Amino acid sequence: MTPQFETNQKNIKVQYHWTTTNGRFLLFGDKWDKEIVNSGEKVIWSPLGEVSTEPDSIIVTLKVEDIKTGKMLAQKELTIEREEIFYIVKP
């Protein structure tokens, strides 16, 4: 997943705060975590070893935050559903 965020505000620096209800994000050095903060790099989500049989829907939440103030500028949720052995991103 790659975040896309545009603003017309000048001199603003943002960070991307990712969380997941199930599964993990892959970080550098083969580290896995349910929550990460980055500068907009691509993020890889995986169900490896973390997704139980229930629930069938996983929510990935992305918050865009102003680094200086901590103010949330945007938020988006993405739903991933399991269909048999596959995981599908729902619109």
Coordinates of all heavy atoms in Angstrom, one line a residue:
M1 N 0.8 -1.2 0.0 CA 0.0 0.0 0.0 C 0.9 1.2 0.0 O 1.9 1.2 0.7 CB -0.9 0.0 1.2 CG -1.9 -1.2 1.3 SD -2.8 -1.2 2.8 CE -1.7 -2.3 3.7
T2 N 0.5 2.2 -0.8 CA 1.2 3.5 -0.8 C 0.3 4.6 -0.5 O -0.7 4.8 -1.2 CB 1.9 3.7 -2.2 OG1 2.7 2.5 -2.5 CG2 2.8 4.9 -2.2
P3 N 0.6 5.5 0.4 CA -0.3 6.6 0.7 C -0.2 7.7 -0.3 O 0.9 7.9 -0.9 CB 0.1 7.1 2.1 CG 1.6 6.7 2.1 CD 1.7 5.5 1.4
Q4 N -1.3 8.4 -0.5 CA -1.3 9.6 -1.4 C -2.0 10.7 -0.6 O -3.2 10.5 -0.3 CB -2.0 9.3 -2.7 CG -1.3 8.3 -3.6 CD -2.0 8.0 -4.9 OE1 -3.1 8.3 -5.1 NE2 -1.3 7.4 -5.8
F5 N -1.3 11.8 -0.4 CA -1.9 12.9 0.3 C -1.4 14.2 -0.3 O -0.2 14.3 -0.5 CB -1.6 12.8 1.8 CG -2.1 14.0 2.6 CD1 -3.4 14.1 3.0 CD2 -1.2 15.0 3.0 CE1 -3.9 15.2 3.7 CE2 -1.6 16.1 3.7 CZ -3.0 16.2 4.1
E6 N -2.3 15.1 -0.6 CA -1.9 16.4 -1.1 C -2.6 17.5 -0.3 O -3.7 17.3 0.1 CB -2.4 16.5 -2.6 CG -1.7 15.5 -3.5 CD -2.1 15.7 -5.0 OE1 -2.7 16.7 -5.3 OE2 -1.9 14.7 -5.7
T7 N -1.9 18.5 -0.1 CA -2.4 19.7 0.6 C -1.9 21.0 0.0 O -0.8 21.0 -0.6 CB -2.0 19.7 2.1 OG1 -2.6 20.8 2.8 CG2 -0.5 19.7 2.3
N8 N -2.7 22.0 0.1 CA -2.2 23.3 -0.4 C -1.6 24.2 0.7 O -1.2 25.3 0.5 CB -3.4 24.1 -1.1 CG -4.5 24.3 -0.1 OD1 -4.5 23.9 1.1 ND2 -5.6 24.9 -0.6
Q9 N -1.5 23.6 1.9 CA -0.8 24.3 3.0 C 0.7 24.3 2.8 O 1.3 23.3 2.5 CB -1.2 23.6 4.3 CG -2.6 23.6 4.7 CD -2.9 22.9 6.0 OE1 -2.1 22.8 6.8 NE2 -4.2 22.4 6.1
K10 N 1.3 25.4 3.0 CA 2.7 25.6 2.9 C 3.5 25.1 4.1 O 2.9 25.2 5.2 CB 3.1 27.1 2.6 CG 2.4 27.6 1.4 CD 3.0 27.1 0.1 CE 2.3 27.9 -1.1 NZ 2.4 27.1 -2.3
N11 N 4.7 24.7 3.9 CA 5.6 24.3 5.0 C 5.0 23.3 6.0 O 5.2 23.5 7.2 CB 6.0 25.6 5.8 CG 6.8 26.6 4.8 OD1 7.5 26.2 4.0 ND2 6.5 27.8 5.0
I12 N 4.3 22.4 5.5 CA 3.7 21.4 6.4 C 4.5 20.0 6.1 O 4.7 19.7 5.0 CB 2.2 21.2 6.2 CG1 1.6 20.4 7.3 CG2 1.8 20.7 4.9 CD1 0.1 20.4 7.5
K13 N 4.8 19.4 7.2 CA 5.5 18.1 7.1 C 4.5 17.1 7.7 O 4.1 17.3 8.9 CB 6.8 18.1 7.8 CG 7.9 18.9 7.1 CD 9.2 18.7 7.7 CE 10.2 19.6 7.0 NZ 11.6 19.4 7.5
V14 N 4.3 16.0 7.0 CA 3.3 15.0 7.5 C 4.0 13.6 7.8 O 5.1 13.3 7.3 CB 2.2 14.8 6.6 CG1 1.4 16.1 6.4 CG2 2.6 14.2 5.2
Q15 N 3.4 12.9 8.7 CA 3.7 11.5 8.9 C 2.5 10.6 8.7 O 1.4 11.1 8.8 CB 4.4 11.3 10.3 CG 3.4 11.6 11.4 CD 4.1 11.4 12.8 OE1 5.3 11.4 12.9 NE2 3.3 11.4 13.8
Y16 N 2.7 9.4 8.4 CA 1.6 8.5 8.1 C 1.6 7.4 9.2 O 2.6 6.7 9.4 CB 1.8 7.8 6.7 CG 1.8 8.8 5.6 CD1 3.0 9.5 5.3 CD2 0.6 9.2 5.0 CE1 3.0 10.5 4.3 CE2 0.6 10.1 4.0 CZ 1.8 10.8 3.6 OH 1.8 11.7 2.6
H17 N 0.4 7.3 9.9 CA 0.3 6.4 11.0 C -0.7 5.3 10.6 O -1.9 5.5 10.4 CB -0.3 7.2 12.2 CG -0.4 6.5 13.5 ND1 -0.6 7.1 14.6 CD2 -0.3 5.1 13.8 CE1 -0.6 6.2 15.6 NE2 -0.4 5.0 15.1
W18 N -0.1 4.1 10.5 CA -0.8 2.9 10.0 C -1.2 2.0 11.2 O -0.3 1.7 12.0 CB 0.0 2.1 9.0 CG 0.5 2.8 7.8 CD1 1.6 3.7 7.7 CD2 0.0 2.7 6.5 NE1 1.7 4.1 6.5 CE2 0.8 3.5 5.7 CE3 -1.1 2.0 6.0 CZ2 0.5 3.7 4.3 CZ3 -1.4 2.2 4.6 CH2 -0.6 3.0 3.8
T19 N -2.4 1.5 11.2 CA -2.8 0.4 12.2 C -3.6 -0.6 11.5 O -4.3 -0.3 10.5 CB -3.6 1.0 13.4 OG1 -4.8 1.7 12.9 CG2 -2.8 2.0 14.2
T20 N -3.6 -1.8 12.1 CA -4.5 -2.9 11.5 C -5.1 -3.6 12.6 O -4.6 -3.8 13.7 CB -3.6 -3.9 10.6 OG1 -4.5 -4.9 10.1 CG2 -2.5 -4.5 11.4
T21 N -6.4 -4.1 12.4 CA -7.1 -4.9 13.4 C -6.6 -6.3 13.5 O -6.9 -7.0 14.5 CB -8.6 -4.8 13.1 OG1 -8.8 -5.4 11.8 CG2 -9.2 -3.4 13.2
N22 N -6.0 -6.8 12.4 CA -5.5 -8.1 12.4 C -4.4 -8.2 11.3 O -4.3 -7.4 10.4 CB -6.7 -9.1 12.0 CG -6.7 -10.3 12.8 OD1 -5.6 -10.8 13.3 ND2 -7.8 -10.9 13.0
G23 N -3.5 -9.2 11.5 CA -2.3 -9.3 10.6 C -1.3 -8.3 11.1 O -1.3 -7.8 12.2
R24 N -0.2 -8.1 10.2 CA 0.9 -7.3 10.6 C 1.4 -6.6 9.4 O 1.3 -7.0 8.3 CB 2.0 -8.1 11.2 CG 1.7 -8.9 12.4 CD 1.9 -8.1 13.6 NE 1.7 -9.0 14.8 CZ 1.4 -8.6 16.0 NH1 1.2 -7.3 16.2 NH2 1.3 -9.4 17.0
F25 N 2.2 -5.5 9.6 CA 2.9 -4.8 8.6 C 4.4 -5.2 8.7 O 4.9 -5.4 9.7 CB 2.9 -3.3 8.8 CG 1.5 -2.7 8.8 CD1 0.9 -2.2 10.0 CD2 0.8 -2.6 7.6 CE1 -0.4 -1.7 9.9 CE2 -0.5 -2.0 7.6 CZ -1.1 -1.6 8.7
L26 N 5.0 -5.4 7.5 CA 6.4 -5.8 7.4 C 7.2 -4.5 7.5 O 7.0 -3.5 6.7 CB 6.7 -6.5 6.1 CG 8.2 -6.8 5.9 CD1 8.7 -7.7 6.9 CD2 8.3 -7.5 4.5
L27 N 8.2 -4.5 8.4 CA 9.1 -3.4 8.5 C 10.5 -3.9 8.1 O 10.8 -5.0 7.9 CB 9.1 -2.9 10.0 CG 7.8 -2.5 10.6 CD1 7.9 -2.2 12.0 CD2 7.3 -1.3 9.8
F28 N 11.5 -2.9 8.0 CA 12.8 -3.3 7.7 C 13.4 -4.3 8.7 O 13.1 -4.2 9.9 CB 13.7 -2.0 7.6 CG 13.3 -1.1 6.5 CD1 12.6 0.1 6.7 CD2 13.6 -1.5 5.2 CE1 12.3 0.9 5.7 CE2 13.2 -0.6 4.1 CZ 12.6 0.6 4.4
G29 N 14.3 -5.1 8.2 CA 14.9 -6.1 9.1 C 14.0 -7.3 9.5 O 14.2 -7.8 10.6
D30 N 13.0 -7.6 8.7 CA 12.1 -8.7 9.0 C 11.4 -8.5 10.3 O 11.0 -9.5 10.9 CB 12.9 -10.0 9.0 CG 13.4 -10.4 7.6 OD1 12.8 -10.0 6.6 OD2 14.5 -11.1 7.6
K31 N 11.1 -7.3 10.7 CA 10.3 -7.0 11.8 C 8.8 -6.9 11.4 O 8.5 -6.3 10.4 CB 10.8 -5.8 12.5 CG 10.0 -5.5 13.8 CD 10.5 -4.2 14.5 CE 9.6 -3.9 15.6 NZ 9.9 -2.5 16.2
W32 N 7.9 -7.4 12.2 CA 6.5 -7.3 11.9 C 5.8 -6.5 13.0 O 6.1 -6.7 14.2 CB 5.9 -8.7 11.8 CG 6.4 -9.4 10.6 CD1 7.5 -10.2 10.6 CD2 5.9 -9.5 9.3 NE1 7.7 -10.8 9.4 CE2 6.7 -10.4 8.6 CE3 4.7 -9.0 8.7 CZ2 6.5 -10.7 7.2 CZ3 4.5 -9.3 7.4 CH2 5.4 -10.1 6.7
D33 N 4.8 -5.7 12.7 CA 4.1 -4.9 13.8 C 2.7 -4.6 13.3 O 2.4 -4.4 12.2 CB 4.9 -3.6 14.1 CG 4.7 -3.2 15.5 OD1 3.8 -3.5 16.2 OD2 5.6 -2.4 16.0
K34 N 1.8 -4.4 14.3 CA 0.4 -4.0 14.0 C 0.3 -2.5 13.9 O -0.8 -2.1 13.4 CB -0.5 -4.5 15.2 CG -0.6 -6.0 15.3 CD -1.5 -6.4 16.4 CE -2.9 -6.3 16.1 NZ -3.5 -7.2 15.1
E35 N 1.3 -1.7 14.2 CA 1.2 -0.3 14.1 C 2.5 0.3 13.7 O 3.6 -0.1 14.2 CB 0.8 0.3 15.5 CG 0.6 1.8 15.5 CD 0.1 2.3 16.8 OE1 -0.3 1.5 17.7 OE2 0.2 3.5 17.0
I36 N 2.5 1.1 12.7 CA 3.8 1.8 12.2 C 3.5 3.2 11.9 O 2.4 3.6 11.6 CB 4.4 1.1 11.0 CG1 3.5 1.1 9.8 CG2 4.8 -0.3 11.4 CD1 4.2 0.6 8.6
V37 N 4.6 4.0 12.0 CA 4.6 5.4 11.5 C 5.7 5.6 10.5 O 6.8 5.2 10.8 CB 4.7 6.4 12.7 CG1 4.8 7.8 12.3 CG2 3.6 6.2 13.7
N38 N 5.4 6.2 9.4 CA 6.5 6.4 8.4 C 6.3 7.7 7.7 O 5.4 8.5 8.0 CB 6.6 5.2 7.4 CG 5.5 5.1 6.5 OD1 4.6 6.0 6.3 ND2 5.4 3.9 5.8
S39 N 7.1 8.0 6.7 CA 7.1 9.2 5.9 C 6.4 9.1 4.6 O 6.6 10.0 3.8 CB 8.6 9.7 5.8 OG 9.2 10.0 7.0
G40 N 5.8 8.0 4.3 CA 5.0 7.9 3.1 C 5.6 6.7 2.2 O 5.1 6.6 1.1
E41 N 6.5 6.0 2.8 CA 7.0 4.8 2.0 C 5.9 3.8 1.9 O 4.9 3.7 2.6 CB 8.2 4.2 2.7 CG 9.4 5.1 2.9 CD 9.2 6.0 4.2 OE1 8.3 5.8 5.0 OE2 10.1 6.9 4.3
K42 N 6.1 2.9 0.9 CA 5.2 1.8 0.7 C 5.1 0.9 2.0 O 6.1 0.8 2.7 CB 5.6 0.9 -0.4 CG 5.5 1.5 -1.8 CD 5.9 0.6 -2.9 CE 5.8 1.3 -4.2 NZ 6.3 0.5 -5.3
V43 N 3.9 0.3 2.2 CA 3.7 -0.5 3.4 C 3.2 -1.9 2.9 O 2.4 -2.0 2.0 CB 2.7 0.1 4.3 CG1 2.3 -0.8 5.4 CG2 3.2 1.4 4.9
I44 N 3.8 -3.0 3.5 CA 3.3 -4.3 3.1 C 2.6 -4.9 4.3 O 3.1 -4.9 5.4 CB 4.5 -5.2 2.8 CG1 5.2 -4.6 1.6 CG2 4.1 -6.6 2.6 CD1 6.6 -5.3 1.3
W45 N 1.3 -5.3 4.1 CA 0.5 -6.0 5.1 C 0.5 -7.5 4.8 O 0.4 -7.9 3.7 CB -0.9 -5.4 5.1 CG -1.8 -6.1 6.0 CD1 -2.0 -5.8 7.3 CD2 -2.6 -7.3 5.8 NE1 -2.9 -6.7 7.9 CE2 -3.3 -7.6 6.9 CE3 -2.8 -8.1 4.6 CZ2 -4.1 -8.7 7.0 CZ3 -3.7 -9.2 4.7 CH2 -4.3 -9.5 5.9
S46 N 0.5 -8.3 5.9 CA 0.4 -9.7 5.7 C -0.4 -10.3 6.8 O -0.3 -9.9 7.9 CB 1.8 -10.3 5.7 OG 1.8 -11.7 5.6
P47 N -1.1 -11.4 6.5 CA -1.9 -12.1 7.5 C -1.0 -13.1 8.3 O -1.4 -13.8 9.2 CB -2.9 -12.8 6.7 CG -2.3 -13.1 5.4 CD -1.4 -11.9 5.1
L48 N 0.3 -13.3 7.9 CA 1.1 -14.4 8.4 C 1.1 -14.5 9.9 O 1.5 -13.6 10.6 CB 2.6 -14.2 7.9 CG 2.8 -14.3 6.4 CD1 4.2 -14.1 6.1 CD2 2.4 -15.7 6.0
G49 N 0.6 -15.6 10.4 CA 0.7 -16.0 11.8 C -0.2 -15.1 12.7 O -0.2 -15.3 13.9
E50 N -1.0 -14.2 12.2 CA -1.7 -13.3 13.0 C -3.2 -13.3 12.8 O -4.0 -12.8 13.6 CB -1.2 -11.9 12.8 CG 0.2 -11.7 13.4 CD 0.3 -11.9 14.9 OE1 -0.6 -11.6 15.6 OE2 1.4 -12.4 15.3
V51 N -3.7 -13.8 11.7 CA -5.1 -13.7 11.4 C -5.8 -15.0 11.9 O -5.5 -16.1 11.5 CB -5.4 -13.5 9.9 CG1 -6.8 -13.5 9.6 CG2 -4.8 -12.2 9.5
S52 N -6.8 -14.8 12.7 CA -7.6 -15.9 13.2 C -8.7 -16.2 12.2 O -8.8 -15.5 11.3 CB -8.2 -15.6 14.6 OG -9.0 -14.5 14.5
T53 N -9.4 -17.3 12.5 CA -10.5 -17.6 11.6 C -11.6 -16.6 11.7 O -12.4 -16.5 10.8 CB -11.1 -19.0 12.0 OG1 -11.5 -19.0 13.3 CG2 -10.0 -20.1 11.7
E54 N -11.7 -15.8 12.7 CA -12.7 -14.8 12.9 C -12.0 -13.5 13.3 O -11.0 -13.6 14.1 CB -13.8 -15.1 13.9 CG -14.6 -16.3 13.5 CD -15.5 -16.1 12.3 OE1 -15.9 -14.9 12.1 OE2 -15.7 -17.1 11.6
P55 N -12.3 -12.3 12.9 CA -13.3 -12.0 11.9 C -12.8 -12.2 10.5 O -11.6 -12.3 10.3 CB -13.6 -10.5 12.2 CG -12.3 -10.0 12.6 CD -11.6 -11.1 13.4
D56 N -13.7 -12.2 9.5 CA -13.3 -12.3 8.1 C -12.9 -11.0 7.5 O -12.3 -10.9 6.5 CB -14.4 -12.9 7.3 CG -14.5 -14.4 7.6 OD1 -13.5 -15.0 8.0 OD2 -15.6 -15.0 7.4
S57 N -13.2 -9.9 8.2 CA -12.9 -8.5 7.7 C -11.7 -8.0 8.6 O -11.8 -8.0 9.8 CB -14.1 -7.6 7.8 OG -15.0 -8.0 6.8
I58 N -10.8 -7.4 7.9 CA -9.6 -6.7 8.6 C -9.7 -5.3 8.2 O -9.9 -4.9 7.0 CB -8.3 -7.4 8.1 CG1 -8.3 -8.8 8.6 CG2 -7.1 -6.6 8.7 CD1 -8.1 -9.8 7.5
I59 N -9.5 -4.4 9.1 CA -9.5 -2.9 8.8 C -8.1 -2.4 9.0 O -7.5 -2.6 10.0 CB -10.4 -2.2 9.8 CG1 -11.9 -2.7 9.8 CG2 -10.5 -0.7 9.5 CD1 -12.6 -2.7 8.5
V60 N -7.6 -1.8 7.9 CA -6.3 -1.1 8.0 C -6.7 0.4 8.0 O -7.4 0.9 7.1 CB -5.5 -1.4 6.7 CG1 -4.2 -0.5 6.7 CG2 -5.1 -2.8 6.7
T61 N -6.2 1.1 9.0 CA -6.5 2.6 9.1 C -5.2 3.3 8.9 O -4.1 3.0 9.4 CB -7.0 2.9 10.6 OG1 -8.2 2.1 10.8 CG2 -7.4 4.3 10.7
L62 N -5.3 4.4 8.1 CA -4.2 5.3 7.8 C -4.6 6.7 8.3 O -5.6 7.2 7.8 CB -3.9 5.3 6.3 CG -2.9 6.3 5.9 CD1 -1.5 6.1 6.6 CD2 -2.7 6.3 4.4
K63 N -3.8 7.3 9.1 CA -4.0 8.7 9.6 C -2.8 9.5 9.1 O -1.7 9.1 9.3 CB -4.1 8.8 11.1 CG -5.3 8.1 11.7 CD -5.3 8.2 13.2 CE -6.5 7.4 13.7 NZ -6.5 7.4 15.2
V64 N -3.1 10.6 8.5 CA -2.1 11.6 8.1 C -2.0 12.7 9.2 O -3.0 13.3 9.5 CB -2.4 12.2 6.7 CG1 -1.3 13.2 6.3 CG2 -2.6 11.1 5.7
E65 N -0.8 12.8 9.8 CA -0.7 13.7 10.9 C 0.4 14.8 10.6 O 1.4 14.5 10.0 CB -0.3 13.0 12.1 CG -1.3 11.9 12.5 CD -0.7 10.8 13.5 OE1 0.5 10.7 13.6 OE2 -1.5 10.2 14.1
D66 N 0.1 16.0 11.1 CA 1.1 17.1 11.0 C 2.2 16.8 12.1 O 1.9 16.6 13.2 CB 0.4 18.4 11.3 CG 1.4 19.6 11.3 OD1 2.6 19.4 11.5 OD2 0.9 20.7 11.0
I67 N 3.4 16.7 11.6 CA 4.5 16.3 12.5 C 4.7 17.3 13.7 O 4.9 17.0 14.8 CB 5.8 16.1 11.8 CG1 5.8 14.9 10.9 CG2 7.0 16.0 12.7 CD1 7.0 14.7 10.0
K68 N 4.6 18.6 13.3 CA 4.8 19.7 14.3 C 3.7 19.7 15.4 O 4.0 19.8 16.6 CB 4.9 21.0 13.7 CG 6.2 21.2 12.9 CD 6.2 22.6 12.3 CE 7.4 22.8 11.4 NZ 7.4 24.1 10.8
T69 N 2.5 19.6 15.0 CA 1.4 19.8 15.9 C 0.7 18.5 16.4 O 0.0 18.5 17.4 CB 0.2 20.7 15.3 OG1 -0.3 20.0 14.2 CG2 0.8 22.0 14.9
G70 N 0.9 17.4 15.6 CA 0.3 16.2 15.9 C -1.2 16.1 15.5 O -1.9 15.2 15.7
K71 N -1.6 17.2 14.9 CA -3.0 17.3 14.4 C -3.2 16.3 13.2 O -2.4 16.2 12.3 CB -3.3 18.7 13.9 CG -4.7 18.9 13.3 CD -4.9 20.3 12.9 CE -6.2 20.5 12.2 NZ -6.4 21.8 11.6
M72 N -4.4 15.6 13.3 CA -4.8 14.7 12.2 C -5.3 15.5 11.1 O -6.3 16.3 11.2 CB -5.8 13.7 12.7 CG -6.1 12.6 11.6 SD -7.1 11.3 12.2 CE -8.5 12.1 12.8
L73 N -4.7 15.3 9.9 CA -5.2 16.0 8.7 C -6.1 15.2 7.8 O -6.9 15.8 7.1 CB -3.9 16.4 7.9 CG -2.9 17.3 8.6 CD1 -1.6 17.4 7.8 CD2 -3.5 18.6 9.0
A74 N -6.0 13.9 7.9 CA -6.9 13.0 7.1 C -6.8 11.6 7.7 O -5.9 11.3 8.4 CB -6.4 13.0 5.6
Q75 N -7.9 10.9 7.4 CA -8.0 9.5 7.9 C -8.7 8.7 6.8 O -9.7 9.2 6.3 CB -8.7 9.4 9.2 CG -8.8 8.0 9.7 CD -9.4 7.9 11.1 OE1 -9.2 8.8 11.9 NE2 -10.1 6.8 11.4
K76 N -8.3 7.5 6.6 CA -8.9 6.6 5.6 C -8.8 5.2 6.2 O -7.8 4.8 6.8 CB -8.2 6.7 4.3 CG -8.8 5.9 3.2 CD -10.1 6.5 2.7 CE -10.7 5.7 1.5 NZ -11.9 6.2 1.1
E77 N -9.9 4.4 6.0 CA -9.9 3.0 6.3 C -10.0 2.1 5.1 O -10.7 2.5 4.1 CB -11.1 2.7 7.3 CG -10.9 3.2 8.7 CD -11.9 2.8 9.6 OE1 -13.0 2.2 9.2 OE2 -11.8 3.0 10.8
L78 N -9.3 1.0 5.1 CA -9.4 0.1 4.0 C -9.8 -1.3 4.6 O -9.3 -1.7 5.6 CB -7.9 0.0 3.5 CG -7.7 -1.1 2.4 CD1 -8.2 -0.6 1.1 CD2 -6.2 -1.3 2.3
T79 N -10.7 -1.9 3.9 CA -11.2 -3.2 4.4 C -10.6 -4.3 3.5 O -10.7 -4.3 2.3 CB -12.8 -3.3 4.3 OG1 -13.3 -2.2 5.1 CG2 -13.3 -4.6 4.8
I80 N -10.1 -5.3 4.2 CA -9.5 -6.5 3.6 C -10.4 -7.6 4.1 O -10.6 -7.8 5.3 CB -8.1 -6.7 4.0 CG1 -7.2 -5.5 3.5 CG2 -7.5 -8.0 3.3 CD1 -5.8 -5.6 4.1
E81 N -10.9 -8.4 3.1 CA -11.8 -9.6 3.5 C -11.2 -10.9 3.0 O -10.6 -10.9 2.0 CB -13.2 -9.4 2.9 CG -14.0 -8.3 3.5 CD -15.4 -8.2 3.1 OE1 -15.8 -9.0 2.2 OE2 -16.1 -7.3 3.6
R82 N -11.3 -11.9 3.9 CA -10.8 -13.2 3.5 C -11.9 -13.9 2.7 O -13.1 -14.0 3.2 CB -10.4 -14.0 4.7 CG -9.7 -15.2 4.4 CD -9.1 -15.9 5.5 NE -10.2 -16.5 6.3 CZ -10.0 -17.0 7.5 NH1 -8.9 -16.8 8.1 NH2 -11.0 -17.6 8.1
E83 N -11.5 -14.5 1.6 CA -12.4 -15.3 0.8 C -11.7 -16.6 0.6 O -10.8 -16.7 -0.3 CB -12.8 -14.6 -0.5 CG -13.7 -13.4 -0.3 CD -14.2 -12.8 -1.5 OE1 -14.0 -13.4 -2.6 OE2 -14.8 -11.7 -1.5
E84 N -12.0 -17.6 1.4 CA -11.3 -18.9 1.4 C -9.8 -18.7 1.8 O -9.6 -18.2 2.9 CB -11.5 -19.6 0.1 CG -13.0 -20.0 -0.2 CD -13.2 -20.7 -1.5 OE1 -12.2 -21.3 -2.0 OE2 -14.3 -20.7 -2.0
I85 N -8.9 -18.9 0.9 CA -7.5 -18.8 1.2 C -6.9 -17.5 0.7 O -5.7 -17.2 0.9 CB -6.6 -19.9 0.7 CG1 -6.7 -20.0 -0.8 CG2 -7.1 -21.3 1.3 CD1 -5.7 -20.9 -1.5
F86 N -7.7 -16.6 0.1 CA -7.3 -15.3 -0.4 C -7.7 -14.2 0.4 O -8.8 -14.2 1.1 CB -7.8 -15.2 -1.9 CG -7.3 -16.2 -2.8 CD1 -8.1 -17.3 -3.2 CD2 -6.0 -16.2 -3.3 CE1 -7.7 -18.3 -4.0 CE2 -5.5 -17.2 -4.2 CZ -6.4 -18.2 -4.5
Y87 N -7.0 -13.0 0.3 CA -7.4 -11.8 1.0 C -7.6 -10.8 -0.1 O -6.8 -10.6 -1.0 CB -6.3 -11.3 1.9 CG -6.2 -12.2 3.2 CD1 -5.4 -13.4 3.1 CD2 -7.0 -11.9 4.3 CE1 -5.4 -14.2 4.2 CE2 -6.9 -12.8 5.4 CZ -6.2 -13.9 5.4 OH -6.1 -14.7 6.4
I88 N -8.8 -10.1 -0.1 CA -9.2 -9.2 -1.1 C -9.5 -7.8 -0.5 O -10.2 -7.7 0.5 CB -10.4 -9.8 -1.9 CG1 -10.0 -11.1 -2.5 CG2 -11.0 -8.8 -2.9 CD1 -11.1 -11.9 -3.0
V89 N -8.9 -6.8 -1.2 CA -9.2 -5.4 -0.7 C -10.6 -5.0 -1.3 O -10.8 -5.1 -2.5 CB -8.1 -4.4 -1.2 CG1 -8.5 -3.0 -0.9 CG2 -6.8 -4.8 -0.7
K90 N -11.4 -4.5 -0.4 CA -12.8 -4.1 -0.8 C -12.8 -2.6 -1.1 O -12.2 -1.9 -0.4 CB -13.8 -4.5 0.3 CG -14.0 -6.0 0.4 CD -14.5 -6.6 -0.8 CE -14.7 -8.1 -0.7 NZ -15.3 -8.8 -1.8
P91 N -13.6 -2.2 -2.1 CA -13.7 -0.8 -2.4 C -14.4 0.0 -1.3 O -15.2 -0.6 -0.6 CB -14.4 -0.7 -3.7 CG -15.0 -2.1 -4.0 CD -14.3 -3.0 -3.0

